[in-house]
């Protein structure tokens, strides 16, 4: 079914303007009669942030911004789904065109700018899902057993108090989210990345963690993750990790899209478009920043690795650089939905080859080596 959907859809989706293609893909997923996926190999299962994942391959934020198809995405075999970024109030994002496919590089540039239907609409959708998924559960989203669906939250562009936006979204979504990601790393909302600066970040995380503790009384525990940019300097990364550890966040996602443009890019005209670059050209920088983060975190919490995964080997490299879980987005555009099974099969094959029972053995195995390489350029 997935193969068929892919074969039918991909030529059509690639013929469309990228944003129209994406909308059509979401619509197809919403209505496709997808069967339940085959059970994952038990060696892929893991526990992180207090949650149980059937496999470590997630779909990254930005694909299903408004939580229209989280269950369809779980049925495609993802181990978890991150919806969002959601902003408190609806906002249209930047003017179109704002999404560009760099076909020759297998990369994407986007400057969507947090186009979001807003918290009310998304909350209604997720609450309806919660009722269907677990009619008898009152113990909070983490107890559903209906798949891990995290929510990525951001601030409105014109918000007078951006930190208050994050706090409000954690309070509102805790009951329907497996976890919440605090996204301070989108390059497309002017000034947003400034929230990564030490003094501001400390204030943000203090208030966010306070909200996490407050909502836990009614909603049960909701892990809070911090998603960072791959463009931080290493001294800034020292600060960010130090503050994240001191404030006891539950994990980090490394990372978002990059505003840099590797000289290797072949689509030189499109490379000049403003926005964040993702996909294959991001892999070396994303892996370097992941490894740099891993060595600084010292196992205080697990990391999710995102950026440039488009094959089994690139997913394994991400885990070996320090990721307990991985997320994909741009790779799906070029490789199709079969990528999910390809990655899972490659991970099982690696476990068999190395005679290991769990991916834990691979996590961070290459981190020190990656940090010793020349800086990716
Ligand atoms: C079109 C597009 C939209 C995105 N929107 C978001 C978003 O709303 N929030 C977010 O945290 N990341 C967003 N991202 C970043 C992805 O979640 C991911 O971190 C990044 O693309 C690197 O992974 P990839 O190389 O597999 O695409 C977006 C990426 C793309 C390509």
């Amino acid at each position: 079914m997935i193969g068929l959907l892919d074969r039918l859809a991909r030529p059509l989706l690639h013929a469309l303007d990228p944003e129209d293609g994406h909308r059509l893909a979401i619509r197809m997923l919403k209505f496709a009669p997808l069967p339940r996926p085959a059970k994952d190999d038990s060696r892929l299962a893991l526990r992180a942030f207090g949650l149980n994942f059937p496999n470590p391959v997630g779909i990254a934020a930005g694909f299903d911004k408004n939580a229209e198809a989280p269950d369809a995405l779980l049925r495609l075999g993802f181990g978890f789904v991150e919806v969002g970024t959601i902003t408190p109030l609806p906002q249209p994002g930047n003017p179109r065109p704002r999404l560009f496919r760099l076909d020759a590089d297998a990369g994407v540039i986007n400057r969507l700018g947090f186009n979001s239907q807003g918290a009310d609409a998304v909350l209604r959708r997720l609450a309806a899902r919660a009722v269907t998924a677990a009619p008898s559960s009152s113990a909070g989203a983490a107890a559903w057993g209906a798949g891990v669906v995290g929510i990525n939250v951001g601030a409105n562009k014109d918000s007078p108090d951006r930190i208050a936006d994050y706090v409000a979204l954690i309070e509102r979504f805790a009951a329907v989210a497996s976890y919440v990601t605090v996204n301070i790393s989108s390059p497309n909302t002017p000034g947003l990345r400034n929230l990564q600066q030490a003094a501001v970040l400390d204030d943000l995380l203090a208030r966010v963690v306070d909200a996490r503790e407050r909502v836990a009384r009614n909603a049960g525990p909701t892990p809070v993750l911090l998603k960072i940019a791959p463009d931080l300097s290493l001294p800034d990364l020292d600060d960010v990790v130090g503050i994240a550890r001191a404030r006891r966040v539950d994990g980090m996602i490394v990372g978002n899209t990059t505003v840099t443009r590797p000289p290797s890019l072949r689509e030189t005209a499109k490379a000049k478009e403003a926005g964040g670059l993702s996909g294959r050209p991001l892999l070396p920088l994303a892996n370097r920043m992941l490894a740099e983060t891993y060595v600084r975190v010292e196992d205080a919490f697990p990391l999710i690795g995102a950026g440039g995964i488009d094959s089994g080997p690139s997913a394994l490299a991400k885990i070996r650089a320090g990721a307990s879980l991985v997320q994909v987005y741009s790779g799906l555009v070029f490789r199709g939905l079969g990528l999910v099974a390809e990655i899972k099969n490659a991970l099982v094959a690696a476990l068999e080859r190395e005679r290991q029972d769990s991916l834990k053995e691979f996590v961070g195995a290459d981190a020190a080596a990656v940090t010793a390489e020349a800086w990716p350029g």
Side-chain angles (χ1 to χ4, degrees):
M1 181 72 194
I2 292 170
L4 181 69
L5 198 71
D6 235 16
R7 268 200 303 281
L8 290 174
R10 276 176 63 210
L12 172 66
L13 296 177
H14 274 251
L16 295 173
D17 161 85
E19 198 166 341
D20 292 336
H22 180 254
R23 273 202 194 154
L24 186 61
I26 292 276
R27 196 164 273 250
M28 284 171 65
L29 280 176
K30 225 167 146 175
F31 297 110
L34 290 164
R36 280 190 181 281
K39 213 170 152 4
D40 287 315
D41 189 302
S42 60
R43 290 168 291 182
L44 294 180
L46 75 152
R47 193 168 166 78
F49 324 120
L51 302 170
N52 292 318
F53 295 80
N55 74 68
V57 187
I59 182 151
F63 184 85
D64 188 7
K65 281 186 184 266
N66 295 299
E68 292 176 89
D71 293 300
L73 290 164
L74 289 169
R75 257 178 257 129
L76 291 177
F78 286 106
F80 64 112
V81 173
E82 186 165 316
V83 300
T85 294
I86 295 157
T87 55
L89 301 173
Q91 63 176 32
N94 291 321
R96 288 174 72 167
R98 53 191 181 172
L99 182 56
F100 307 89
R101 240 184 3 242
L102 282 63
D103 286 318
D105 301 298
V108 173
I109 290 177
N110 93 81
R111 52 168 180 268
L112 294 171
F114 285 172
N115 50 321
S116 173
Q117 292 176 4
D120 287 349
V122 175
L123 193 58
R124 261 197 307 276
R125 242 171 241 142
L126 289 170
R129 173 182 182 267
V131 170
T132 328
S136 60
S137 170
S138 57
W144 292 355
V148 175
V149 177
I151 298 184
N152 180 306
V153 298
N156 276 115
K157 185 179 173 197
D158 299 326
S159 168
D161 182 351
R162 286 184 168 168
I163 294 182
D165 281 9
Y166 290 96
V167 168
L169 289 170
I170 288 171
E171 286 170 345
R172 294 198 69 189
F173 280 97
V176 294
S178 303
Y179 67 86
V180 176
T181 299
V182 172
N183 175 17
I184 49 171
S185 49
S186 165
N188 302 311
T189 295
L192 192 86
R193 284 184 167 193
N194 294 342
L195 293 171
Q196 295 175 125
Q197 287 166 7
V200 194
L201 182 66
D202 193 49
D203 185 27
L204 168 74
L205 291 186
R207 288 168 63 185
V208 154
V209 166
D210 183 56
R212 178 189 70 186
E213 304 307 317
R214 240 179 304 118
V215 295
R217 283 177 223 137
N218 289 324
T222 305
V224 170
L225 316 185
L226 182 68
K227 183 167 179 179
I228 63 168
D231 301 325
L232 289 170
S233 69
L234 293 182
D236 285 347
L237 184 65
D238 288 340
D239 287 345
V240 167
V241 172
I243 295 164
R245 290 181 63 169
R247 290 292 176 192
R248 299 191 177 282
V249 303
D250 297 280
M252 284 172 61
I253 305 182
V254 189
N256 219 308
T257 56
T258 179
V259 295
T260 64
R261 298 290 182 265
S264 58
L265 289 178
R266 289 156 65 189
E267 299 254 13
T268 47
K270 281 190 185 157
K272 294 198 181 81
E273 293 290 349
L277 171 71
S278 56
R280 192 182 294 163
L282 172 58
L283 186 72
L285 176 65
N287 281 4
R288 178 60 176 261
M289 288 305 282
L290 173 65
E292 296 283 358
T293 306
Y294 180 83
V295 297
R296 286 163 174 76
V297 167
E298 297 174 313
D299 280 334
F301 44 67
L303 302 176
I304 299 180
I309 296 173
D310 65 355
S311 64
S314 55
L316 184 59
K318 189 75 83 186
I319 291 170
R320 295 187 68 97
S324 292
L325 297 132
V326 299
Q327 288 179 326
V328 297
Y329 186 164
S330 305
L332 297 169
V333 174
F334 299 99
R335 302 292 322 284
L337 296 169
L339 178 62
V340 190
E342 182 189 323
I343 292 174
K344 291 194 287 187
N345 290 339
L347 295 179
V348 171
L351 287 168
E352 275 170 6
R353 208 169 46 238
E354 310 274 331
R355 296 199 162 78
Q356 297 291 351
D357 295 331
S358 140
L359 291 167
K360 234 189 238 164
E361 313 304 325
F362 296 148
V363 176
D366 293 345
V370 172
T371 60
E373 289 168 4
W375 196 263

